[in-house]
C-alpha cells in the first residue's frame, strides 16, 4: 500500500506515523483502490483485504488496529484492552499509551491528525472537519491526553494529513457567519459572492492558543479536492468515494 510518512513524528523514533493514499489497494471504482472504510458502500471483503495490506506494510496485527465510527463530534475515547478492530466506537478522537496498538482516523476531505508525545509516551488520532474544528475536538483531545497520561501540550508533535484546502472548500454564508462568531475570520476567504473556509487555519489557531507553535506541526500540504488523483475527496468525487487514513502506533 502506498503511504506517506510523517517526517516530524517519524524522526523522533518510538512511533510509526503515516497517512495512506488511494493507491495500492484492491477496491474497485469508485473506491479505487485503497479504501479503508466499511460504511461507504465498498465490498467488505475488499476493505478487509486493504486493511490486511496496510497492516503488512506497517508491521502490526490487524486485530490490534482501532478505528472509529466518526460522527463529526467532540467525543474522545481512551483505547484500552477492551477495544479492538471489531469494536469501533462512535467518536472522533482516540488516545492511548498502549504500545503496539494502532490508532486510525479516516478521512476524505476532513483533516486527519496524529499526535505524539515522546516523553509521556502517548499518542492520539483525531478526525477534524469543519464541525469538529468548530467544536474544538483537537484542543479537547490534547486536554484529554494531559488528564490521562500527564502529557504536556508543549511536548507534543503533531501531524496534519491531506485535507481539503481553502482553495476548494466553499461554504455558505451561515457557516461563514458561524466561523466569524467563533473568532475564525482568518480562516475565511471571500471571492466575489463566494466564501471558502480553510479548516487547517482554524486548527493551527487553536494550537497556537494552547502555546503549541507551528514548528511542532507538520502539514501534508496537499488539497484532497485538487489532488483527488492521489487522495479520496468527498467533494471532488461527488460523495461516492473511499477513505484514506492516518495511522499512529507506539513501538
Ligand atoms: Zn483545492
Amino acid at each position: 500500500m502506498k503511504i506517506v510518512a510523517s517526517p516530524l513524528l517519524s524522526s523522533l523514533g518510538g512511533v510509526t506515523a503515516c497517512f495512506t493514499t488511494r493507491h495500492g489497494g484492491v477496491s474497485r471504482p469508485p473506491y479505487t483502490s485503497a479504501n479503508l472504510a466499511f460504511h461507504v458502500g465498498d465490498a467488505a471483503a475488499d476493505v478487509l483485504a486493504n486493511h490486511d495490506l496496510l497492516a503488512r506494510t506497517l508491521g502490526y496485527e490487524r486485530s490490534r488496529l482501532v478505528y472509529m465510527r466518526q460522527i463529526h463530534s467532540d467525543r474522545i475515547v481512551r483505547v484500552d484492552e477492551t477495544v479492538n478492530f471489531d469494536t469501533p466506537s462512535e467518536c472522533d478522537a482516540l488516545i492511548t499509551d498502549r504500545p503496539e496498538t494502532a490508532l486510525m482516523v479516516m478521512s476524505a476531505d476532513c483533516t486527519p491528525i496524529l499526535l505524539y508525545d515522546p516523553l509521556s509516551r502517548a499518542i492520539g488520532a483525531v478526525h477534524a472537519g469543519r464541525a469538529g474544528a468548530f467544536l474544538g475536538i483537537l484542543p479537547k483531545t490534547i486536554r484529554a491526553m494531559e488528564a490521562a497520561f500527564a502529557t504536556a501540550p508543549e511536548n507534543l508533535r503533531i501531524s496534519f494529513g491531506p485535507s481539503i484546502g481553502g482553495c476548494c472548500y466553499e461554504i455558505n454564508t451561515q457557516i461563514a457567519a458561524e466561523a466569524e462568531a467563533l473568532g475564525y475570520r482568518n480562516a475565511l476567504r471571500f471571492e466575489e459572492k463566494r466564501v471558502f473556509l480553510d479548516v487547517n487555519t482554524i486548527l493551527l489557531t487553536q494550537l497556537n492558543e494552547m502555546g503549541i507553535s507551528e514548528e511542532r506541526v507538520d502539514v501534508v500540504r496537499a488539497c484532497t479536492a485538487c489532488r483527488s488523483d492521489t487522495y479520496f475527496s468527498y467533494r471532488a468525487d461527488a460523495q461516492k468515494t473511499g477513505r484514506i487514513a492516518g495511522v499512529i502506533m507506539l513501538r
Side-chain angles (χ1 to χ4, degrees):
M1 187 160 290
K2 194 164 184 302
I3 56 167
V4 183
S6 162
L8 180 66
L9 271 56
S10 303
S11 71
L12 299 170
V15 73
T16 295
C18 69
F19 299 97
T20 66
T21 68
R22 63 183 302 159
H23 299 300
V26 303
S27 293
R28 280 161 289 191
Y31 310 104
T32 329
S33 62
N35 168 48
L36 291 160
F38 289 98
H39 70 282
V40 295
D42 193 1
D46 289 350
V47 180
L48 204 56
N50 288 337
H51 272 282
D52 284 333
L53 283 167
L54 180 60
R56 215 169 310 144
T57 302
L58 298 181
Y60 60 84
E61 290 286 325
R62 175 171 52 76
S63 61
R64 304 204 57 160
L65 175 106
V66 181
Y67 67 93
M68 303 178 260
R69 282 165 47 212
Q70 298 165 182
I71 50 174
H72 299 281
S73 71
D74 59 355
R75 189 152 184 263
I76 300 154
V77 167
R78 179 177 178 173
V79 171
D80 59 22
E81 65 285 350
T82 65
V83 187
N84 61 44
F85 189 81
D86 298 313
T87 58
S89 299
E90 270 196 357
C91 61
D92 288 277
L94 297 170
I95 59 173
T96 197
D97 60 353
R98 291 170 63 83
E100 303 300 323
T101 300
L103 307 184
M104 173 177 278
V105 47
M106 298 190 207
S107 68
D109 290 343
C110 292
T111 307
I113 304 167
L114 306 176
L115 307 106
Y116 175 43
D117 171 25
L119 293 180
S120 64
R121 292 275 297 155
I123 55 173
V126 178
H127 168 245
R130 185 259 309 160
F134 282 7
L135 287 168
I137 179 82
L138 179 57
K140 284 175 183 172
T141 302
I142 293 169
R143 293 300 176 210
M145 291 177 74
E146 201 174 14
F149 314 121
T151 298
E154 61 272 21
N155 291 335
L156 279 169
R157 298 297 185 276
I158 301 171
S159 187
F160 288 8
S163 65
I164 193 164
C167 44
C168 292
Y169 185 22
E170 186 171 2
I171 56 170
N172 62 35
T173 49
Q174 193 191 323
I175 292 172
E178 216 179 310
E180 286 215 54
L182 290 166
Y184 303 127
R185 192 172 210 287
N186 62 336
L188 298 174
R189 182 172 64 83
F190 297 89
E191 191 183 296
E192 295 179 4
K193 286 194 167 149
R194 305 167 73 191
V195 199
F196 296 82
L197 178 67
D198 192 90
V199 172
N200 282 354
T201 298
I202 299 178
L203 298 169
L204 289 168
T205 301
Q206 292 171 336
L207 291 178
N208 200 43
E209 283 164 357
M210 298 185 85
I212 300 172
S213 62
E214 285 200 29
E215 72 249 28
R216 286 161 194 266
V217 186
D218 82 8
V219 180
V220 177
R221 296 202 184 274
C223 166
T224 45
C226 291
R227 296 300 313 275
S228 59
D229 58 326
T230 305
Y231 306 104
F232 295 113
S233 173
Y234 186 78
R235 291 198 158 211
D237 300 335
Q239 304 183 5
K240 197 92 177 144
T241 193
R243 298 289 182 274
I244 60 150
V247 181
I248 187 161
M249 175 173 42
L250 288 170
R251 292 296 193 177

